[in-house]
Coordinates of all heavy atoms in Angstrom, one line a residue:
M1 N 89.5 103.2 105.8 CA 89.9 102.8 104.5 C 91.0 101.8 104.5 O 91.2 100.9 103.7 CB 90.3 104.1 103.8 CG 90.3 104.0 102.3 SD 88.9 103.5 101.4 CE 87.6 104.4 102.0
N2 N 91.9 101.9 105.6 CA 93.0 101.0 105.7 C 92.6 99.6 105.9 O 93.2 98.7 105.4 CB 93.9 101.5 107.0 CG 95.2 100.8 107.0 OD1 95.8 100.5 105.9 ND2 95.7 100.5 108.2
N3 N 91.5 99.4 106.6 CA 90.9 98.0 106.8 C 90.6 97.4 105.4 O 90.8 96.2 105.2 CB 89.8 97.9 107.7 CG 90.2 98.2 109.1 OD1 91.3 98.0 109.5 ND2 89.2 98.6 109.9
Y4 N 90.0 98.2 104.5 CA 89.7 97.7 103.2 C 90.9 97.3 102.4 O 91.0 96.3 101.7 CB 88.9 98.7 102.4 CG 87.5 98.8 102.7 CD1 87.0 100.0 103.1 CD2 86.6 97.8 102.7 CE1 85.6 100.2 103.5 CE2 85.3 97.9 103.0 CZ 84.8 99.1 103.3 OH 83.5 99.2 103.7
R5 N 92.0 98.1 102.5 CA 93.2 97.8 101.8 C 93.9 96.6 102.4 O 94.4 95.8 101.6 CB 94.1 99.0 102.0 CG 93.7 100.2 101.1 CD 94.6 101.4 101.2 NE 94.0 102.4 100.4 CZ 94.2 103.7 100.6 NH1 95.1 104.1 101.5 NH2 93.7 104.6 99.8
M6 N 93.9 96.4 103.7 CA 94.5 95.2 104.3 C 93.7 94.0 103.9 O 94.3 93.0 103.6 CB 94.5 95.3 105.8 CG 95.2 96.6 106.3 SD 96.9 96.2 106.7 CE 96.8 95.4 108.2
G7 N 92.4 94.0 103.9 CA 91.5 92.9 103.5 C 91.7 92.6 102.0 O 91.8 91.4 101.6
G8 N 91.8 93.6 101.1 CA 92.0 93.4 99.7 C 93.4 92.7 99.5 O 93.5 91.8 98.7
Y9 N 94.3 93.2 100.1 CA 95.7 92.7 100.0 C 95.7 91.2 100.6 O 96.4 90.4 100.0 CB 96.7 93.5 100.7 CG 98.1 92.9 100.6 CD1 98.8 93.0 99.4 CD2 98.7 92.3 101.7 CE1 100.0 92.4 99.3 CE2 100.0 91.8 101.6 CZ 100.6 91.8 100.4 OH 101.8 91.2 100.3
L10 N 95.0 91.0 101.6 CA 94.9 89.6 102.2 C 94.3 88.6 101.1 O 94.9 87.6 100.9 CB 94.0 89.6 103.4 CG 93.7 88.2 104.0 CD1 94.9 87.6 104.7 CD2 92.5 88.3 104.9
L11 N 93.2 89.0 100.5 CA 92.6 88.1 99.5 C 93.6 88.0 98.3 O 93.6 86.9 97.7 CB 91.3 88.7 99.1 CG 90.2 88.6 100.1 CD1 88.9 89.2 99.5 CD2 89.8 87.1 100.4
F12 N 94.1 89.0 97.9 CA 95.0 89.0 96.7 C 96.3 88.1 97.0 O 96.6 87.2 96.2 CB 95.5 90.4 96.4 CG 96.3 90.5 95.2 CD1 95.7 90.4 93.9 CD2 97.7 90.7 95.2 CE1 96.4 90.5 92.7 CE2 98.4 90.7 94.0 CZ 97.8 90.7 92.8
A13 N 96.9 88.2 98.2 CA 98.0 87.3 98.6 C 97.6 86.0 98.7 O 98.3 85.0 98.3 CB 98.6 87.8 99.9
I14 N 96.4 85.7 99.4 CA 96.0 84.3 99.6 C 95.7 83.6 98.2 O 96.1 82.4 98.0 CB 94.8 84.2 100.5 CG1 95.1 84.5 101.9 CG2 94.0 82.8 100.4 CD1 93.9 84.6 102.8
G15 N 95.1 84.3 97.3 CA 94.8 83.8 96.0 C 96.1 83.5 95.3 O 96.2 82.4 94.6
L16 N 97.1 84.3 95.3 CA 98.4 84.0 94.6 C 99.2 82.9 95.3 O 99.7 82.1 94.6 CB 99.2 85.3 94.5 CG 98.7 86.4 93.6 CD1 99.6 87.6 93.7 CD2 98.5 85.9 92.2
I17 N 99.1 82.8 96.6 CA 99.8 81.7 97.3 C 99.0 80.4 96.9 O 99.7 79.4 96.7 CB 99.7 82.0 98.8 CG1 100.7 83.1 99.1 CG2 100.1 80.7 99.6 CD1 100.6 83.6 100.6
N18 N 97.7 80.4 96.9 CA 97.0 79.3 96.5 C 97.3 78.8 95.1 O 97.5 77.6 94.8 CB 95.4 79.5 96.6 CG 94.6 78.4 96.3 OD1 95.0 77.2 96.7 ND2 93.5 78.6 95.7
L19 N 97.5 79.7 94.2 CA 97.9 79.5 92.8 C 99.2 78.8 92.8 O 99.4 77.8 92.1 CB 97.9 80.7 92.0 CG 98.2 80.6 90.5 CD1 97.2 79.8 89.8 CD2 98.4 82.0 89.9
R20 N 100.1 79.3 93.5 CA 101.5 78.8 93.5 C 101.6 77.3 94.1 O 102.3 76.5 93.5 CB 102.4 79.7 94.3 CG 103.8 79.2 94.6 CD 104.6 79.0 93.3 NE 105.9 78.4 93.6 CZ 106.2 77.1 93.4 NH1 105.4 76.3 92.9 NH2 107.4 76.7 93.6
Y21 N 100.9 77.1 95.2 CA 101.1 75.8 95.9 C 100.2 74.7 95.3 O 100.4 73.6 95.6 CB 100.8 76.0 97.4 CG 102.0 76.6 98.1 CD1 102.0 77.9 98.5 CD2 103.1 75.8 98.3 CE1 103.1 78.5 99.1 CE2 104.2 76.4 99.0 CZ 104.2 77.7 99.3 OH 105.3 78.2 99.9
Q22 N 99.3 75.1 94.5 CA 98.4 74.0 93.8 C 98.5 74.0 92.4 O 97.6 73.7 91.6 CB 96.9 74.3 94.2 CG 96.6 74.1 95.7 CD 95.1 74.3 96.0 OE1 94.3 74.3 95.1 NE2 94.8 74.4 97.2
W23 N 99.7 74.5 91.9 CA 99.8 74.8 90.4 C 99.6 73.5 89.6 O 99.0 73.6 88.5 CB 101.3 75.3 90.2 CG 101.4 75.6 88.7 CD1 102.3 75.0 87.9 CD2 100.8 76.7 88.0 NE1 102.2 75.6 86.6 CE2 101.2 76.6 86.7 CE3 99.8 77.6 88.3 CZ2 100.8 77.4 85.7 CZ3 99.4 78.5 87.3 CH2 99.9 78.4 86.0
G24 N 99.9 72.3 89.9 CA 99.8 71.2 89.1 C 98.4 70.6 89.0 O 98.1 69.8 88.2
E25 N 97.4 71.1 89.9 CA 96.1 70.5 89.9 C 95.2 71.2 88.8 O 95.4 72.4 88.5 CB 95.5 70.7 91.3 CG 96.2 70.0 92.3 CD 95.6 70.1 93.7 OE1 94.4 70.4 93.7 OE2 96.3 70.0 94.7
P26 N 94.2 70.5 88.3 CA 93.3 71.0 87.3 C 92.4 72.0 88.0 O 91.9 71.8 89.1 CB 92.6 69.8 86.8 CG 92.7 68.8 87.8 CD 94.0 69.0 88.5
G27 N 92.1 73.1 87.2 CA 91.2 74.1 87.7 C 91.7 75.1 88.8 O 91.0 75.9 89.3
V28 N 93.0 75.1 89.0 CA 93.6 75.9 90.1 C 93.5 77.4 89.6 O 93.4 78.2 90.5 CB 95.0 75.5 90.4 CG1 96.0 75.7 89.3 CG2 95.4 76.2 91.7
V29 N 93.7 77.7 88.4 CA 93.7 79.1 88.0 C 92.3 79.7 88.3 O 92.2 80.8 88.8 CB 94.1 79.2 86.5 CG1 94.0 80.6 86.0 CG2 95.5 78.7 86.3
E30 N 91.3 79.0 87.9 CA 89.9 79.5 88.1 C 89.7 79.7 89.6 O 89.1 80.7 90.1 CB 88.8 78.6 87.5 CG 88.9 78.5 86.0 CD 89.9 77.6 85.5 OE1 90.4 76.8 86.3 OE2 90.2 77.7 84.3
R31 N 90.0 78.7 90.4 CA 89.8 78.8 91.9 C 90.6 79.9 92.5 O 90.1 80.6 93.4 CB 90.1 77.4 92.5 CG 89.2 76.3 92.2 CD 89.3 75.1 93.1 NE 90.7 74.7 93.3 CZ 91.3 73.7 92.5 NH1 90.6 73.1 91.6 NH2 92.5 73.4 92.8
S32 N 91.8 80.1 92.1 CA 92.6 81.1 92.7 C 92.2 82.5 92.2 O 92.2 83.4 92.9 CB 94.1 80.9 92.3 OG 94.6 79.7 92.9
A33 N 91.8 82.6 90.9 CA 91.3 83.8 90.4 C 90.0 84.3 91.1 O 89.8 85.5 91.4 CB 91.0 83.7 88.9
T34 N 89.2 83.3 91.6 CA 88.0 83.6 92.4 C 88.4 84.3 93.7 O 87.6 85.0 94.2 CB 87.2 82.2 92.7 OG1 87.0 81.6 91.5 CG2 86.0 82.5 93.4
I35 N 89.6 84.1 94.2 CA 90.0 84.6 95.4 C 90.8 85.9 95.1 O 90.6 86.9 95.8 CB 90.9 83.7 96.2 CG1 90.2 82.4 96.5 CG2 91.4 84.3 97.5 CD1 91.0 81.2 96.9
F36 N 91.7 86.0 94.3 CA 92.6 87.1 94.1 C 92.0 88.3 93.3 O 92.3 89.5 93.5 CB 94.0 86.8 93.7 CG 94.2 86.4 92.3 CD1 94.2 87.4 91.2 CD2 94.5 85.1 92.0 CE1 94.4 87.0 90.0 CE2 94.7 84.7 90.7 CZ 94.6 85.7 89.7
I37 N 91.1 88.0 92.4 CA 90.5 89.1 91.7 C 89.5 90.0 92.5 O 89.7 91.2 92.5 CB 89.7 88.6 90.4 CG1 90.7 88.1 89.4 CG2 88.8 89.6 89.8 CD1 90.1 87.4 88.2
P38 N 88.7 89.4 93.4 CA 88.0 90.4 94.3 C 88.9 91.1 95.2 O 88.6 92.3 95.5 CB 87.0 89.4 95.0 CG 86.9 88.2 94.2 CD 88.2 88.1 93.5
G39 N 89.9 90.5 95.6 CA 90.9 91.2 96.5 C 91.5 92.4 95.8 O 91.6 93.5 96.3
A40 N 91.9 92.2 94.5 CA 92.5 93.2 93.7 C 91.5 94.4 93.5 O 91.8 95.6 93.6 CB 93.0 92.7 92.4
L41 N 90.2 94.0 93.2 CA 89.1 95.0 93.0 C 88.9 95.8 94.3 O 88.7 97.1 94.2 CB 87.8 94.3 92.6 CG 87.9 93.7 91.2 CD1 86.6 92.9 90.9 CD2 88.2 94.7 90.1
V42 N 88.9 95.2 95.4 CA 88.7 96.0 96.7 C 89.8 96.9 96.9 O 89.7 98.0 97.3 CB 88.4 95.0 97.9 CG1 88.5 95.8 99.2 CG2 87.1 94.3 97.7
L43 N 91.0 96.4 96.7 CA 92.2 97.2 96.9 C 92.2 98.4 96.0 O 92.5 99.5 96.3 CB 93.4 96.3 96.7 CG 94.8 96.9 97.0 CD1 94.9 97.2 98.5 CD2 95.9 95.9 96.7
L44 N 91.9 98.2 94.7 CA 91.8 99.3 93.7 C 90.7 100.2 94.0 O 90.9 101.5 93.8 CB 91.7 98.7 92.4 CG 92.9 98.0 91.8 CD1 92.6 97.4 90.4 CD2 94.1 98.9 91.6
A45 N 89.6 99.7 94.5 CA 88.5 100.6 94.9 C 88.8 101.6 96.0 O 88.3 102.7 96.0 CB 87.3 99.8 95.3
T46 N 89.8 101.2 96.8 CA 90.1 102.2 97.9 C 90.9 103.4 97.4 O 91.0 104.4 98.1 CB 90.9 101.5 99.0 OG1 92.2 101.0 98.4 CG2 90.2 100.4 99.6
F47 N 91.4 103.3 96.2 CA 92.2 104.4 95.6 C 91.4 105.3 94.7 O 91.9 106.3 94.2 CB 93.4 103.9 94.9 CG 94.5 103.3 95.8 CD1 94.6 101.9 95.9 CD2 95.3 104.1 96.7 CE1 95.5 101.4 96.8 CE2 96.2 103.6 97.5 CZ 96.3 102.2 97.6
I48 N 90.1 104.9 94.5 CA 89.3 105.7 93.5 C 88.4 106.6 94.4 O 87.6 106.2 95.2 CB 88.4 104.8 92.7 CG1 89.3 103.9 91.8 CG2 87.5 105.6 91.8 CD1 88.6 102.8 91.1
E49 N 88.6 107.9 94.3 CA 87.9 108.9 95.2 C 86.4 108.8 95.2 O 85.8 108.9 96.3 CB 88.4 110.3 94.8 CG 89.7 110.7 95.3 CD 89.9 110.7 96.7 OE1 89.0 111.1 97.5 OE2 91.0 110.2 97.2
P50 N 85.8 108.7 94.1 CA 84.3 108.6 94.1 C 83.7 107.4 94.9 O 82.6 107.4 95.3 CB 83.8 108.6 92.7 CG 85.0 109.1 91.9 CD 86.2 108.8 92.7
L51 N 84.5 106.3 95.0 CA 84.0 105.2 95.6 C 84.2 105.2 97.2 O 83.6 104.4 97.9 CB 84.7 103.9 95.1 CG 84.4 103.5 93.7 CD1 85.2 102.3 93.3 CD2 82.9 103.3 93.5
K52 N 85.1 106.1 97.7 CA 85.4 106.1 99.1 C 84.1 106.4 99.9 O 83.9 105.8 101.0 CB 86.5 107.2 99.4 CG 87.8 106.7 98.9 CD 88.9 107.7 99.3 CE 90.2 107.1 98.8 NZ 91.3 108.0 99.2
P53 N 83.2 107.3 99.6 CA 82.0 107.5 100.4 C 81.1 106.3 100.4 O 80.5 105.9 101.4 CB 81.3 108.7 99.7 CG 82.3 109.4 99.0 CD 83.3 108.4 98.5
V54 N 81.1 105.5 99.3 CA 80.2 104.3 99.2 C 80.9 103.3 100.1 O 80.1 102.5 100.9 CB 80.2 103.8 97.8 CG1 79.5 102.5 97.7 CG2 79.6 104.8 96.9
L55 N 82.2 103.2 100.1 CA 82.8 102.2 101.0 C 82.7 102.4 102.5 O 82.8 101.6 103.3 CB 84.3 102.0 100.6 CG 84.6 101.5 99.2 CD1 86.2 101.5 98.9 CD2 84.2 100.0 99.2
M56 N 82.5 103.7 102.8 CA 82.4 104.1 104.2 C 81.0 103.8 104.8 O 80.8 104.0 106.0 CB 82.8 105.5 104.4 CG 84.3 105.7 104.0 SD 85.5 104.6 104.8 CE 85.3 105.1 106.5
K57 N 80.0 103.5 104.0 CA 78.7 103.2 104.5 C 78.7 102.0 105.4 O 79.4 101.0 105.0 CB 77.7 103.1 103.4 CG 77.4 104.4 102.6 CD 76.4 104.2 101.5 CE 76.1 105.5 100.9 NZ 75.1 105.3 99.8
K58 N 77.9 102.0 106.4 CA 77.9 100.8 107.3 C 77.4 99.6 106.7 O 78.0 98.4 106.9 CB 76.9 101.2 108.5 CG 77.1 100.3 109.7 CD 76.2 100.9 110.8 CE 76.8 100.4 112.1 NZ 76.2 101.0 113.3
E59 N 76.4 99.6 105.7 CA 75.9 98.4 105.1 C 77.0 97.8 104.2 O 77.1 96.6 104.1 CB 74.7 98.8 104.3 CG 73.5 99.4 105.0 CD 73.6 100.9 105.2 OE1 74.4 101.5 104.4 OE2 72.9 101.4 106.1
V60 N 77.7 98.6 103.5 CA 78.8 98.1 102.7 C 79.9 97.5 103.5 O 80.4 96.5 103.1 CB 79.3 99.3 101.7 CG1 80.5 98.9 100.9 CG2 78.2 99.9 100.9
K61 N 80.2 98.1 104.6 CA 81.3 97.5 105.5 C 80.9 96.1 105.9 O 81.7 95.2 105.8 CB 81.5 98.4 106.7 CG 82.2 99.7 106.4 CD 82.4 100.5 107.7 CE 83.0 101.8 107.5 NZ 83.2 102.6 108.7
Y62 N 79.7 96.0 106.4 CA 79.2 94.7 106.8 C 79.2 93.7 105.7 O 79.6 92.5 105.8 CB 77.8 94.7 107.5 CG 77.9 95.4 108.9 CD1 77.0 96.4 109.2 CD2 78.8 95.0 109.8 CE1 77.0 96.9 110.5 CE2 78.9 95.6 111.0 CZ 78.0 96.6 111.4 OH 78.0 97.1 112.6
L63 N 78.7 94.1 104.5 CA 78.6 93.2 103.4 C 79.9 92.7 102.9 O 80.2 91.6 102.7 CB 77.9 93.9 102.2 CG 77.8 93.1 100.9 CD1 76.9 91.9 101.1 CD2 77.3 94.0 99.8
L64 N 80.9 93.7 102.8 CA 82.2 93.3 102.3 C 83.0 92.5 103.4 O 83.8 91.7 103.0 CB 83.0 94.6 102.0 CG 82.6 95.2 100.7 CD1 83.5 96.5 100.3 CD2 82.7 94.2 99.5
A65 N 82.7 92.7 104.6 CA 83.3 91.9 105.7 C 82.8 90.5 105.6 O 83.6 89.5 105.7 CB 83.1 92.5 107.1
F66 N 81.5 90.3 105.4 CA 81.0 89.0 105.2 C 81.6 88.3 104.0 O 81.9 87.1 104.0 CB 79.5 89.0 105.2 CG 78.8 87.7 105.0 CD1 78.8 86.8 106.0 CD2 78.3 87.4 103.7 CE1 78.1 85.5 105.7 CE2 77.7 86.2 103.5 CZ 77.7 85.2 104.5
V67 N 81.5 89.0 102.9 CA 82.0 88.4 101.6 C 83.5 88.1 101.7 O 83.9 87.0 101.2 CB 81.7 89.3 100.4 CG1 82.4 88.9 99.2 CG2 80.2 89.5 100.2
G68 N 84.3 89.0 102.3 CA 85.7 88.7 102.5 C 86.0 87.5 103.4 O 86.8 86.7 103.0
L69 N 85.3 87.4 104.4 CA 85.4 86.2 105.3 C 85.0 84.9 104.5 O 85.6 83.9 104.7 CB 84.6 86.3 106.6 CG 85.2 87.3 107.6 CD1 84.2 87.4 108.8 CD2 86.6 86.9 108.1
A70 N 84.0 85.0 103.7 CA 83.5 83.9 102.9 C 84.7 83.5 101.9 O 84.9 82.3 101.8 CB 82.3 84.2 102.2
F71 N 85.3 84.4 101.3 CA 86.4 84.1 100.4 C 87.7 83.5 101.1 O 88.2 82.6 100.6 CB 86.8 85.4 99.6 CG 86.0 85.7 98.4 CD1 85.4 86.9 98.3 CD2 85.8 84.7 97.5 CE1 84.6 87.2 97.2 CE2 85.0 85.0 96.3 CZ 84.4 86.2 96.2
V72 N 87.9 84.0 102.3 CA 89.0 83.4 103.1 C 88.6 82.0 103.5 O 89.5 81.1 103.4 CB 89.3 84.3 104.4 CG1 90.2 83.6 105.3 CG2 89.8 85.6 103.9
A73 N 87.4 81.7 103.9 CA 87.0 80.4 104.2 C 87.1 79.5 103.0 O 87.5 78.3 103.1 CB 85.6 80.3 104.8
Y74 N 86.7 80.0 101.8 CA 86.8 79.2 100.6 C 88.3 78.9 100.2 O 88.6 77.8 99.9 CB 86.2 80.0 99.4 CG 86.4 79.4 98.1 CD1 85.7 78.2 97.7 CD2 87.2 80.0 97.1 CE1 85.9 77.7 96.5 CE2 87.3 79.5 95.9 CZ 86.7 78.3 95.6 OH 86.9 77.7 94.3
A75 N 89.2 79.9 100.5 CA 90.6 79.7 100.2 C 91.2 78.7 101.1 O 92.0 77.9 100.7 CB 91.3 81.0 100.3
V76 N 90.8 78.7 102.4 CA 91.3 77.7 103.3 C 90.8 76.3 103.0 O 91.6 75.3 103.1 CB 91.0 78.1 104.8 CG1 91.3 77.0 105.7 CG2 91.7 79.4 105.1
T77 N 89.6 76.2 102.7 CA 89.0 74.8 102.4 C 89.3 74.3 101.0 O 89.1 73.2 100.7 CB 87.5 74.8 102.6 OG1 86.9 75.8 101.8 CG2 87.2 75.1 104.1
N78 N 89.8 75.2 100.2 CA 90.1 74.9 98.8 C 91.2 73.9 98.6 O 92.3 74.0 98.7 CB 90.2 76.1 98.0 CG 90.3 75.9 96.5 OD1 90.4 74.9 96.0 ND2 90.4 77.0 95.8

């Protein structure tokens, strides 16, 4: 569960940093929200008891790892 929290916080922080450093550019709020909203959702999901068994499934772990890496790559190239 700790890995999910760290990954969610990573996306949340990258999204907010992206928002701050690109503030003057058009469309930055939408691009940054694309990064930090999923991070916040993953982070919040780790604190909801009924979702913990779902998050611990192997398929969900691989899926969220892939999606998380895709969001990090998007944030870096953005």
